Amino acid sequence: HEEIRAINEQGVDLVIITGDLAEQGRAVGLEQQIGAVLLQFEAPLLIIPGNHDYGHFPKLRQPDVPDHGWLNFARVFHPHRFTQLLLGGWRFIGFDTGPSLFSPRILTRGIDAQAVAMLRAAIDEAAKQGLRGVVLYSHAPTRAVLRSNSERARGDGLGSMVAGAAELEGVLLEAARRKLRVLHLAGHTHWSDVFTARPTKDGFDFARWLTDTLPCPRVLDGTVAMITAPSAGLITFPTL
């Protein structure tokens, strides 16, 4: 586990894993194995389940009943779909974007109106408390662009959450208008994406970084950004 040792040597303050700990979360032994490995981290560890942790595929006839893959995750890690941590003046908020939809577009079910309202309230409360900012983290992003060097920002309809995506982006853009610092970290897609909130003639909108500049130690231009990191274990699209 050289990667974990390398991270420990850096003396990091926090490790965030945005899901997909096991290829098949319905096999509880896989979740238990990765749980034992992750205990080697010396820093605090934040984890949210991914669609693979639920299993392939979710229950189709009973979509509101948790799949036993999710129950395996809950037994090994935690049963919370909404978590918060205050560290170094930042509020870290994790939220579950659910299992896959039965679709070739690799979509996840997303979040409902109540979850969006909770995230909005948490950002408002952090601003009232004078915190440095808020870091949201989930498995699925709100948007993804498959084409490698396209400036297209609206997304290709692949690898993102379905319900709540537009509403959550509205919350982020409102934070940008208020000059609050908010990041949304995601995984799920097997390629990198960065979108930053930038002023337009009508207010604010997200602009995509060209992928030939990623990864890079580049300063974010603005106070709000959505960052998608690829899977560490499997890069499905090596050209990205």
Side-chain angles (χ1 to χ4, degrees):
H1 309 126
E2 295 182 1
E3 294 87 353
I4 293 179
R5 284 196 294 270
I7 292 172
N8 287 338
E9 289 173 356
Q10 296 179 43
V12 301
D13 297 311
L14 184 68
V15 174
I16 298 176
I17 298 179
T18 57
D20 279 1
L21 294 122
E23 168 65 18
Q24 177 55 276
R26 285 177 176 159
V28 66
L30 294 179
E31 298 279 346
Q32 292 169 335
Q33 288 178 45
I34 191 63
V37 169
L38 295 180
L39 287 175
Q40 298 178 42
F41 277 115
E42 296 174 359
L45 183 63
L46 299 179
I47 301 174
I48 206 73
N51 60 307
H52 282 251
D53 297 306
Y54 277 88
H56 306 292
F57 271 97
K59 294 181 178 180
L60 299 179
R61 295 186 178 180
Q62 294 179 292
D64 297 327
V65 178
D67 188 275
H68 63 263
W70 181 86
L71 297 175
N72 290 338
F73 176 92
R75 291 186 184 102
V76 176
F77 299 104
H78 64 79
H80 307 294
R81 290 191 161 121
F82 189 92
T83 62
Q84 293 197 54
L85 171 71
L86 182 63
L87 181 65
W90 289 83
R91 178 75 67 186
F92 293 85
I93 304 172
F95 57 97
D96 182 4
T97 52
S100 300
L101 290 180
F102 194 69
S103 166
R105 295 191 293 159
I106 329 170
L107 303 173
T108 68
R109 288 192 176 132
I111 55 178
D112 61 12
Q114 182 182 12
V116 174
M118 291 173 69
L119 294 172
R120 178 183 288 108
I123 293 172
D124 288 343
E125 183 63 23
K128 292 177 182 178
Q129 294 174 347
L131 298 182
R132 296 173 65 188
V134 175
V135 178
L136 308 177
Y137 62 98
S138 65
H139 180 60
T142 58
R143 65 175 74 183
V145 180
L146 179 60
R147 287 173 286 181
S148 61
N149 214 33
S150 169
E151 292 184 336
R152 178 174 179 170
R154 287 300 167 193
D156 292 330
L158 291 169
S160 58
M161 66 176 79
V162 177
E167 291 79 4
L168 177 55
E169 288 193 3
V171 172
L172 297 177
L173 292 174
E174 175 59 28
R177 284 190 286 270
R178 296 165 62 188
K179 298 183 179 180
L180 304 178
R181 291 197 287 181
V182 183
L183 295 179
H184 177 210
L185 309 180
H188 190 50
T189 66
H190 293 199
W191 65 89
S192 297
D193 255 325
V194 177
F195 302 91
T196 52
R198 299 177 184 171
T200 67
K201 63 179 182 179
D202 299 319
F204 277 81
D205 203 352
F206 285 106
R208 187 191 189 214
W209 288 13
L210 295 180
T211 52
D212 60 5
T213 65
L214 300 175
C216 65
R218 175 178 164 187
V219 176
L220 292 173
D221 47 348
T223 64
V224 174
M226 304 185 299
I227 302 173
T228 304
S231 166
L234 178 64
I235 304 299
T236 306
F237 305 97
T239 59
L240 296 173

